[in-house]
Amino acid sequence: MPTTSNYFHLHLVSDSTGETLITVARAVAAQYANVTAVEHVYPLVRSQKQLDRVLDEIEESPGIVLFTLLEKDLVGRLEGKCKEINVPSLSIIGPVMQLFEAYLGAATTGRVGAQHVLNAEYFRRIDALNYTMMHDDGQHVEGLEEADVVLVGVSRTSKTPTSIYLANRGIRTANVPLVPGIPLPHQLETLKKPLVVSLHATPERLIQVRQNRLLTIGDRDNDTYIDKQSVADEVAFARRLSAKFNWALLDVTRRSIEETAAAVMKLFNDRQRARPSE
């Protein structure tokens, strides 16, 4: 049932929070720039009554149906209805679970939301988030040695959103701005434990991002902030510091936040593996 318009309905049915479904669906939908997905998200669908509402909405707005349901009766009914009204449906975790079962020779537990239990990994992420929020934008530099990663860079190199993304992966991340004319915190010059990554972008890209920022906040008088020579000087200043202190360099000119974070995590993991075990 191909769509002939510039949008299509995307139904995401989950017996848990729906985060897995949303992530997968948006990653795929992003590959289709000329068509927009109208998302219908149904979390915590665990009973036949709850499924009734979902089926009514799917029938009213037919489209692609993706689901993560473990209860076989719910799966059977959902798939049956989709076949009846001729809409495509797919279990996102079903094929993966079958692969695990075949390899491990064991059935699944069938526990709904098992990935969200309050385990050590969960508390590690919460600790990382708390640390990162306290050490954003050069705050509390006396605690930088406790970080896993310290991001440095000039203004608008995505230090804060990258820090938060990394914290959500359990990596304690601080970030410190590099500003010409303002001395570096001495703590930053003597770090031993954390990986320090210097984020860079071309002057042209920085000027573009900064112009958008100034428009957003209604500031039209900050000429130095977007002056081509001034920005080029900032970039050169940051590169000199990176070379002086042997910081890892990462060009974020054409990277999304997710891509930048993935590159930082690779640098971090490579460094961890290279260190002798204590």
Side-chain angles (χ1 to χ4, degrees), residues 19 26 41 62 70 84 98 152 161 209 214 218 238 255 257 266:
E19 292 178 21
R26 288 180 179 174
V41 183
L70 294 179
E84 177 188 325
Q98 289 172 7
V152 298
V209 175
L214 292 180
R255 294 181 194 263
I257 301 302
K266 184 179 186 307

Side-chain angles (χ1 to χ4, degrees), residues 99-174:
L99 179 65
F100 272 55
E101 286 184 18
Y103 184 79
L104 298 175
T108 63
T109 63
R111 264 194 311 146
V112 173
Q115 72 272 34
H116 301 297
V117 295
L118 301 184
N119 54 18
E121 175 67 18
Y122 172 83
F123 289 108
R124 187 165 71 91
R125 289 194 296 111
I126 296 302
D127 173 69
L129 280 167
N130 288 335
Y131 176 88
T132 296
M133 298 308 294
M134 286 185 61
H135 296 82
D136 180 45
D137 200 30
Q139 299 181 80
H140 302 291
V141 292
E142 67 279 359
L144 288 180
E145 190 64 47
E146 300 168 11
D148 296 316
V149 171
V150 177
L151 302 179
V152 298
V154 300
S155 175
R156 314 317 295 177
T157 48
S158 303
K159 296 184 296 298
T160 293
T162 303
S163 296
I164 294 172
Y165 191 101
L166 290 169
N168 270 296
R169 297 298 184 271
I171 298 176
R172 290 160 65 95
T173 309

